[in-house]
Amino acid sequence: MPAEDAVIDLDAHRNEPVGPTTGRVRRTARPGAVLGLVAAFAAGVMLGGWGVDRSREARARQERDATVALVAVPAGTGGGGVNSGGRARIEGSLAVVNAGPAPITVRSVQAETPTVLVRDLGRTRLIRPGGTGWIDVVVLFQCGEPFAAEPLSVRFAVQTADGQVREARYPVAIVGSTWLDMLSVICGSR
């Protein structure tokens, strides 16, 4: 082959195809399409972040509304009681403090040992967060018997802000309370 046929002119601009191609043809993206993809990605990230944040808020609200935290102490007596066959009966009240973050409704109160029975009088009580509600109860005590358990484990049926009824227990000290003072008077007057 002569040398002059092997020279390639690099300055020549031809619009002719060079020959068959074996690879993919690379195309450049249009600026409008790139901008649209970036905007769609940014919107997806923002919506995803907002959705995660709302999900966290909903979960925290649900947890808060399901929380039951309370404190209960004997608050007083109705002024008198009855001793019937060695069994003292008084009507008293139980002060219940809502230490939780949402309102609760106390539906029932109950405690039972071999010597003591405590039951509510069937009235519900709505208690706001940080508030105190007085629950009317009947206390039955077997005169002449020591308290079987101190403090007394009191069971509460509580409706939480999410509408569910949950059980909560709280230890209530009877020794040193106005209930024990009244029971001692009633049992001693027999």
Side-chain angles (χ1 to χ4, degrees):
M1 205 156 106
E4 55 223 287
D5 287 338
V7 175
I8 298 175
D9 185 8
L10 296 177
D11 289 330
H13 296 288
R14 295 186 202 168
N15 290 333
E16 303 171 8
V18 175
T21 60
T22 56
R24 288 188 246 161
V25 176
R26 183 173 175 199
R27 296 180 190 214
T28 59
R30 294 184 310 223
V34 170
L35 189 58
L37 288 172
V38 169
F41 177 75
V45 167
M46 286 176 28
L47 284 174
W50 179 79
V52 167
D53 186 49
R54 297 294 293 174
S55 175
R56 284 184 189 148
E57 286 176 11
R59 212 168 323 155
R61 183 176 44 255
Q62 186 178 32
E63 188 175 302
R64 182 187 70 235
D65 288 350
T67 301
V68 176
L70 52 84
V71 177
V73 294
T77 60
V82 178
N83 182 342
S84 175
R87 187 126 173 133
R89 179 184 189 275
I90 62 168
E91 290 186 9
S93 62
L94 190 64
V96 179
V97 178
N98 179 1
I104 60 171
T105 301
V106 177
R107 296 244 173 245
S108 68
V109 176
Q110 183 178 357
E112 189 170 356
T113 69
T115 58
V116 179
L117 174 68
V118 177
R119 294 207 181 195
D120 63 278
L121 296 178
R123 296 183 201 112
T124 62
R125 176 76 60 186
L126 174 66
I127 307 172
R128 64 180 172 72
T132 302
W134 283 264
I135 310 297
D136 293 328
V137 294
V138 171
V139 181
L140 300 172
F141 177 69
Q142 188 63 44
C143 292
E145 298 287 327
F147 280 99
E150 178 67 21
L152 185 62
S153 179
V154 178
R155 187 174 69 236
F156 297 86
V158 177
Q159 182 175 351
T160 53
D162 63 359
Q164 299 296 313
V165 176
R166 293 179 165 76
E167 183 177 296
R169 291 188 175 269
Y170 190 80
V172 174
I174 303 296
V175 174
S177 72
T178 58
W179 290 0
L180 185 60
D181 294 342
M182 180 60 76
L183 292 169
S184 298
V185 168
I186 294 169
C187 287
S189 65
R190 183 173 172 216

